[in-house]
Amino acid sequence: MKKVRKHYIDLKSISKNRGLVGDLFPSRYRFSPYRGCQHGCRYCDGRAEKYYVEGDFEKDIVVRKNIPQLVEEELSSIREKGIISISSGVSDPYHPLEEEERIVERTLQVIEKYNLPISIMTKSSLILRDIDILERINKKSGVTVMVSLTFLDESLASFFEPRANSVEERLTVIKKFKERGIGVGVLAMPFIPYISDSKESMDEFFSKLEEIGVDFVSPGDLTLRPGKQKELFMEGIRANYPALYSKLNYLYGENRPSGIMRSSYRNKLYKKIYHLLDQYSISYLFPHSLYKGKLPLYDEVYLLLVHMKELYYRKGVDVKPLEVVVKRYVNWLEGERSKFNRRRSLNYTDLEQELLFLLHSGGFLDLIGNKKVNEFIKEIILEEKVFDYVSLSNKA
Ligand code: SF4
């Protein structure tokens, strides 16, 4: 393990999203206890200049030591319920330093006092240290654990993710959280072109995830942003996979600021991924079962509509009517949100009541202009059903 230089700073505020809730991971509040990451994954895009992480990404670690107190102060006056995400693109909350700093553990003790759901992203089995408190929070308000895992081959893991836990250890994390009744998703990103994206290895990978019963898999491709991230990754390829160097160099030769690969390869990759997800009946979206009851009703309806549009589109259904519904609903929701955001005297639970009134009175149909979707949303919200993202049906 590389010797770490700790830089203690105080975070001013946890991040709050005042707009529409994210449709990939639907959190409203977010913080990360660290900046920089000891896991040192070769593909990590947190190294890119865009994120302004100063010093050596793996050694100069910013430690936000005041997070437990800050979360205590801010949660006590929170106006709107929503999921708190403990994550970041430039660190892992459970990288080795957490073992001595214990910031996540102390923050969870604070969160336990407030009835707010959380989600945590990690590659580390250190999260098992906190499994008891996470189980208690899950029983009260809900927890989703997202484990980052992209291949089953241990030799790939030790090269590309040199100081993260082994594949076997991460699989154990998933199983243990599932045994405790906690929702687990897998962040399957990035699939590395020519190295971890063969049909056989991906088939084995998704088959394993189906066997252990993950709730969803969020897939992603490798991006290489020009600059530090791309240079470090390509150096590793030159040294360890010399035969692949020129192929990868060509694939990322457009040097787009986003680091995206050539679209022809990318399209084929996603086709393969969606085919396998279908084959193994795994949701690629954060499923309704994991967010129902954890979000305000207006966010739940928003996510359902956006996800339905995406899911039916993937099935080849014409989603133009759904696009109209989403547009009309979003116009209404954004208008209402800006009113509630501006006036601190208003309570967001009133916005939920307003939506319930619309659903009971027929006003929701006027709002979205689509009978079928109106019936569907009424059934989900008023009869407390769960929409299954794989079978596309409602369950009690
Ligand atoms: S664990 Fe995540 S944040 Fe840390 S180096 Fe790996 S990819 Fe980057």
Side-chain angles (χ1 to χ4, degrees), residues 37 39-41 43-44 57 89-92 123:
C37 185
H39 284 160
C41 306
Y43 50 70
C44 180
F57 182 75
V90 294
S91 193
D92 185 316
K123 273 193 172 78

Side-chain angles (χ1 to χ4, degrees), residues 3 10-11 44 98 100 109 125 132 135 181 193 322 345 354 373 376 383 387 393 395:
K3 189 145 175 49
D10 279 349
L11 190 67
C44 180
E98 168 62 17
E100 57 183 268
Q109 287 160 2
S125 54
D132 291 334
E135 186 181 20
L322 271 170
S345 59
E354 194 178 320
V373 178
F376 165 79
E383 296 171 33
F387 183 51
S393 62
K395 294 185 175 165

